[in-house]
């Protein structure tokens, strides 16, 4: 639009200029007009940037080329806008920026900045754009065909990354018209429908990632036209049908991931002829048949687990660079070949029908699983095992029925005797002390004495939790019944407000009827007293268990949904870590927590998950929990958002 305005000015200039004007005067006036047009364009860019509120309180009179996240060309026009998560930005609505004000924009990179809203069609008007990445945000809506109709005009666009958002709907077929595109990543969204065969027109494409969506239908056979493709990820969808043979003709392929789909049919032997292929993951499908690899096998990562593959695995011996091998949960038979593995290699051949000796270089391997096969370590152990199995069979046939019968009678007699003694003892205690849970046979004085005796006058060793205004004790009565008692703190017991709050809580808890409700201090007492007091949103004291309540309650004393969200986040982290996160809460809210690994948070008593799907689900819960414990209540998600994210 700026160039069109300049052309019109020049035409008007030549039409109306004085014919007696000198050439130098004409040149000077032309320079003046160009400078005026540049100044107009720069002013328009600055106003569009300020309108977003992404740059704080800067004003239009300052040079926007000196602002952070902005790069300009020599003429002072914006050519690059780059935001990254390292700055912990919360930019809000993507539609707040007027993209028509940036005719020279070459790069737009906004990563993990909590962008919201749908993708504006104006982006399609950026004719100079070569790099577009809006990954790991909260973008919603669909991918409108009109948006890609505009993008088709972006002949310079080489990189398109919209991954890790919440974009829904099908992939428009017009995307296949962007023939110069080299990088395409739409993974980890909510896209559905089938994969458009028009994507096979992207013959310059080097990387395609459509994984972790809800795509269905077959893999287009025309993908064999993507001759430049090196990276292909269609994993974690609902794609069905066989793997097209045409894919095995893409000789530039280095990485293929089709895991967790509904693919069936054979694994083509031609995969073994792809000399540059180092990563192949076809796990968790319904593939069948045998596998075969050629002498030029360069695979470093091979995952075929959880399929219906069968036959021998002898040809794996030609893959001399394997670092990760998982063939578990299949129907492979025969012997394990001599594999070329390193000390750090991961090997899982469990749950097959493999037989014979384990190769010598695998016997002392540290990270290997050969369970649920019929393998032996040495020839001597083979003969010895056969004799032992024969003796075991004889024993089981003759003596086992007799032994089992005698044991059954003995156990039944013990159980009957114990049950009878316990019942008699309980009946005697009921007669003496009364039944606490019965109205007809209840003596409050005796019950109180029993509770005092059971807790040794509320000794701390029976305390199982401490809340904002009381402590919970475990009391086992002589009748065999176990109760949880809440005792108010000495000061709070004398305050009418606490007394009423405690009665409100008792009323709520006694009215609840659910199989999952149990008396646990940090779950049952938090905020329950407010349910029956409509004026208790503004308190003068903290109600709830310390360590689980939101930090802002200590200052504002105002209870809202975001406080419950914080408590949920703490409980979620406690579930993941096996203990209260403690000082980890403040650390995770600091800038030093960037790059914190899951292994630093996960319960140390548990082994780190080897299944990538399980690891991903744990990470999803962890990310939700971290969002819930943010110091700024406004930055925390709503419980509806939490529910939707965890149910994805």
């Amino acid at each position: 639009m700026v160039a069109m305005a300049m052309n019109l000015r020049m035409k008007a200039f030549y039409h109306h200029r004085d014919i007696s004007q000198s050439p130098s005067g004409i040149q000077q006036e032309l320079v003046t007009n160009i400078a005026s047009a540049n100044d107009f364009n720069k002013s328009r860019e600055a106003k569009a940037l300020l309108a977003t509120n992404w740059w704080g309180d800067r004003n239009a009179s300052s040079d926007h080329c000196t602002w952070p996240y902005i790069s300009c060309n020599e003429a002072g026009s914006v050519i690059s806008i780059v935001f990254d998560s390292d700055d912990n930005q919360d930019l809000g609505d993507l539609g707040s920026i007027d993209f028509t004000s940036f005719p020279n924009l070459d790069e737009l990179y906004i990563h993990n900045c909590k962008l919201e809203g749908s993708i504006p069609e104006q982006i399609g008007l950026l004719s100079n754009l070569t790099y577009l990445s809006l990954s790991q945000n909260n973008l919603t809506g669909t991918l409108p065909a009109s948006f890609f109709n505009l993008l088709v005009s972006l002949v310079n666009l080489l990189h398109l990354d919209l991954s890790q958002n919440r974009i829904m709907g099908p992939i428009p077929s017009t995307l296949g018209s962007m023939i110069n595109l080299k990088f395409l990543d739409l993974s980890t969204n909510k896209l559905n429908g089938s994969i458009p065969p028009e994507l096979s027109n992207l013959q310059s494409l080097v990387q395609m990632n459509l994984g972790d969506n809800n795509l269905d239908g077959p893999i287009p056979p025309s993908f064999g036209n993507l001759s430049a493709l090196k990276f292909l990820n269609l994993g974690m969808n609902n794609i069905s049908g066989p793997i097209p043979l045409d894919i095995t003709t893409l000789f530039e392929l280095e990485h293929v991931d089709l895991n967790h789909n509904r693919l069936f049919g054979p694994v083509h032997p031609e995969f073994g002829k792809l000399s540059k292929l180092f990563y192949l993951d076809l796990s968790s499908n319904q593939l069948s048949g045998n596998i075969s690899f050629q002498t030029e096998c360069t695979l470093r990562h091979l995952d075929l687990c959880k399929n219906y593959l069968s036959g021998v695995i002898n040809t794996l011996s030609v893959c001399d660079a394997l670092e990760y091998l998982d063939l578990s949960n299949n129907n492979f038979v025969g012997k394990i070949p001599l594999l070329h593995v390193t000390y750090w290699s991961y090997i899982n051949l469990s749950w097959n029908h493999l037989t014979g000796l384990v190769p010598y270089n695998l016997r002392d391997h540290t990270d290997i699983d050969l369970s649920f096969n019929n393998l032996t370590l040495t020839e001597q152990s083979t003969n010895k095992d056969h004799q032992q199995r024969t003796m075991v069979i004889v024993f089981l046939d003759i003596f086992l029925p007799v032994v089992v019968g005698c044991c059954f009678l003995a156990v039944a007699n013990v159980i009957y005797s114990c049950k009878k003694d316990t019942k008699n003892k309980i009946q005697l205690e009921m007669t003496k002390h009364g039944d606490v849970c019965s109205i007809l046979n209840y003596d409050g004085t005796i019950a109180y004495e029993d509770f005092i005796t059971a807790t040794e006058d509320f000794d701390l060793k029976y305390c199982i939790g401490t809340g904002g205004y009381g402590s919970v004790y475990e009391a086992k009565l002589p009748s065999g019944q176990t109760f949880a008692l809440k005792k108010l703190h000495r000061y709070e017991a004398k305050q009418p407000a606490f007394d009423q709050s405690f009665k409100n809580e008792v009323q709520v808890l006694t009215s609840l009827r659910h199989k999952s409700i149990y008396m646990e201090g940090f779950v049952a007492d938090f905020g329950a007293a407010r349910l029956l007091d409509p004026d208790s949103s503004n308190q003068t004291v903290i109600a709830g268990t310390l360590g689980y309540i939101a930090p802002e309650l200590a200052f504002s004393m105002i209870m809202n949904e975001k406080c419950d969200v914080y408590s949920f986040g703490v409980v979620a982290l406690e579930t993941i870590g096996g203990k209260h996160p403690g000082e980890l809460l403040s650390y995770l809210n600091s800038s030093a927590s960037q790059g914190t690994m899951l292994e630093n948070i996960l319960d140390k008593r548990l082994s780190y998950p080897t299944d990538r799907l399980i690891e991903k689900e744990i990470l999803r819960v962890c990310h939700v929990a971290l969002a819930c414990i943010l110091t700024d209540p406004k930055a925390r998600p709503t419980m509806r958002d939490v529910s939707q994210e965890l149910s994805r």
Side-chain angles (χ1 to χ4, degrees), residues 197-213:
E198 288 81 2
L199 295 186
S200 59
N201 297 330
L202 306 176
Q203 297 189 19
S204 299
L205 201 63
V206 175
Q207 180 166 332
M208 177 191 291
N209 191 347
L210 306 179
D212 194 10
N213 279 290

Side-chain angles (χ1 to χ4, degrees), residues 257-305:
D257 191 345
L258 306 178
N259 78 87
H260 285 84
N261 280 292
R262 295 185 290 128
L263 298 171
F264 56 83
V267 177
H268 302 297
E270 284 74 9
F271 272 116
K273 299 178 182 179
L274 298 177
S275 60
K276 297 182 180 180
L277 187 66
F278 68 86
Y279 188 104
L280 179 61
D281 188 347
L282 307 178
S283 61
S284 299
N285 280 287
Q286 303 167 24
L287 300 171
S288 58
N290 201 351
I291 57 174
S292 177
F293 297 94
Q294 305 299 317
T295 55
E296 296 183 357
C297 173
T298 57
L299 282 171
R300 296 200 297 267
H301 182 111
L302 177 60
D303 192 345
L304 304 177
C305 72

Side-chain angles (χ1 to χ4, degrees), residues 573-645:
L573 286 175
E574 182 172 2
T575 303
I576 296 173
K579 62 181 181 180
H580 188 277
E583 295 181 357
L584 189 62
L585 291 174
S586 57
Y587 173 75
L588 292 174
N589 267 302
S590 66
S591 58
S593 67
Q594 294 293 332
T596 300
M597 305 297 289
L598 176 61
E599 61 187 15
N600 297 329
I601 302 176
L602 192 64
D603 192 340
K604 298 296 188 277
R605 297 169 296 179
L606 304 177
S607 59
Y608 194 85
T610 56
D611 190 312
R612 289 189 300 134
L613 182 61
I614 295 177
E615 180 187 23
K616 178 180 177 182
E617 291 303 317
I618 296 176
L619 282 172
R620 187 196 301 273
V621 177
C622 192
H623 289 160
V624 171
L626 293 179
C628 291
I629 65 166
L630 291 175
T631 304
D632 184 3
K634 296 180 180 179
R636 298 171 198 157
T638 64
M639 286 309 298
R640 180 182 294 274
D641 293 336
V642 171
S643 176
Q644 291 176 349
E645 182 65 23

Side-chain angles (χ1 to χ4, degrees), residues 562-576:
K562 294 303 179 73
C563 298
D564 288 337
V565 171
Y566 180 92
S567 303
F568 174 82
V570 176
V571 175
L573 286 175
E574 182 172 2
T575 303
I576 296 173

